[in-house]
Amino acid sequence: AQTVTQSQPEMSVQEAETVTLSCTYDTSENNYYLFWYKQPPSRQMILVIRQEAYKQQNATENRFSVNFQKAAKSFSLKISDSQLGDTAMYFCAFRGPVQGAQKLVFGQGTRLTINP
Amino acid sequence: ETGVTQTPRHLVMGMTNKKSLKCEQHLGHNAMYWYKQSAKKPLELMFVYNFKEQTENNSVPSRFSPECPNSSHLFLHLHTLQPEDSALYLCASSQGRDRNQPQHFGDGTRLSIL
């Protein structure tokens, strides 16, 4: 069974700093998908960025980028020029290659606080 | 505005009550999901429906009963719940056959069992 581990329960940085959230996973699959979701106090889970395992290039979405190390099974999220609105819980998630409906496996989450 | 709407936003009920959670998606998706989010635990997948058919039941106790009358609506019927069932219940939807598409989540129902 796949597992996802986020080893940092909480992190805190100053506004405008860069922060990296770590995520490791365990799978025997070769093709899969990885996601980072953000859950602010409003509770809605919002997709931040996604990575397809067969793509070597790291995904980037504006200030958000990932460092995907397939051999190491590592999928870290880097937030550049952090903003107060980035304060939220961040969840790393894994999805295998099975067709049809998706089954996401989530990590425990990292609570990120951006301080003014 | 979210494309996935959950009601009610908050629910307090006794252990002997019967209530239902509702989820509606306006995204044209064909797969819908129920998750349970407890404090200090990863999100737990409860049920998956694909084209109205249940494709996953993650060993959920029978006091939780899902219903999916069509691809846009998903219910979670609750009865004889326990205090440990207090949690945030999240609904999500996705374009099930497109493996690259992410799941879209609602705001959740915060459930408290007295």
Side-chain angles (χ1 to χ4, degrees):
Chain A
Q2 291 88 3
T3 59
V4 178
T5 302
Q6 293 178 248
S7 58
Q8 305 150 312
E10 294 186 24
M11 295 188 72
S12 178
V13 298
Q14 296 298 120
E15 191 176 6
E17 290 183 346
T18 294
V19 60
T20 299
L21 310 182
S22 66
C23 173
T24 58
Y25 56 93
D26 186 24
T27 184
S28 58
E29 303 287 352
N30 189 46
N31 290 326
Y32 48 87
Y33 300 84
L34 295 163
F35 304 86
W36 277 99
Y37 280 89
K38 165 186 175 181
Q39 188 180 38
S42 65
R43 302 184 333 202
Q44 186 190 3
M45 199 79 75
I46 303 166
L47 178 70
V48 175
I49 199 167
R50 59 186 161 183
Q51 175 81 40
E52 295 146 355
Y54 62 85
K55 289 187 177 180
Q56 292 185 336
Q57 186 173 7
N58 288 325
T60 299
E61 289 285 343
N62 300 316
R63 298 182 294 107
F64 299 88
S65 61
V66 299
N67 182 4
F68 174 48
Q69 301 291 326
K70 191 173 184 179
K73 297 180 182 176
S74 171
F75 182 60
S76 61
L77 173 69
K78 185 172 84 171
I79 306 174
S80 303
D81 186 26
S82 57
Q83 301 174 359
L84 297 179
D86 296 332
T87 293
M89 282 289 292
Y90 286 80
F91 293 94
C92 177
F94 170 99
R95 189 179 94 71
V98 177
Q99 288 279 7
Q102 306 174 14
K103 180 177 179 178
L104 282 175
V105 178
F106 285 86
Q108 306 95 315
T110 296
R111 183 175 302 280
L112 176 65
T113 301
I114 309 299
N115 299 307
Chain B
E1 181 182 335
T2 177
V4 180
T5 305
Q6 288 188 244
T7 54
R9 190 165 172 81
H10 302 275
L11 179 62
V12 179
M13 57 187 285
M15 289 191 286
T16 58
N17 291 156
K18 290 185 180 181
K19 296 284 184 185
S20 296
L21 309 185
K22 180 182 177 182
C23 177
E24 182 175 0
Q25 59 97 359
H26 314 277
L27 301 169
H29 291 163
N30 46 46
M32 296 188 77
Y33 313 79
W34 279 117
Y35 287 90
K36 177 183 179 182
Q37 186 177 21
S38 305
K40 303 188 185 303
K41 292 177 69 175
L43 268 76
E44 300 172 70
L45 180 66
M46 300 175 71
F47 301 103
V48 180
Y49 279 82
N50 196 23
F51 291 99
K52 300 190 299 177
E53 298 298 321
Q54 187 180 123
T55 57
E56 186 100 19
N57 178 337
N58 209 22
S59 302
V60 181
S62 59
R63 57 186 184 269
F64 294 91
S65 175
E67 179 189 0
C68 189
N70 55 61
S71 293
S72 299
H73 293 85
L74 184 65
F75 296 89
L76 188 62
H77 304 301
L78 316 171
H79 65 96
T80 323
L81 294 192
Q82 304 299 309
E84 62 265 27
D85 296 324
S86 296
L88 180 67
Y89 289 84
L90 290 166
C91 173
S93 70
S94 72
Q95 198 65 23
R97 292 193 182 279
D98 188 339
R99 293 180 291 164
N100 188 36
Q101 294 304 311
Q103 293 180 19
H104 295 253
F105 287 81
D107 290 345
T109 294
R110 174 74 63 189
L111 177 64
S112 299
I113 307 300
L114 300 178

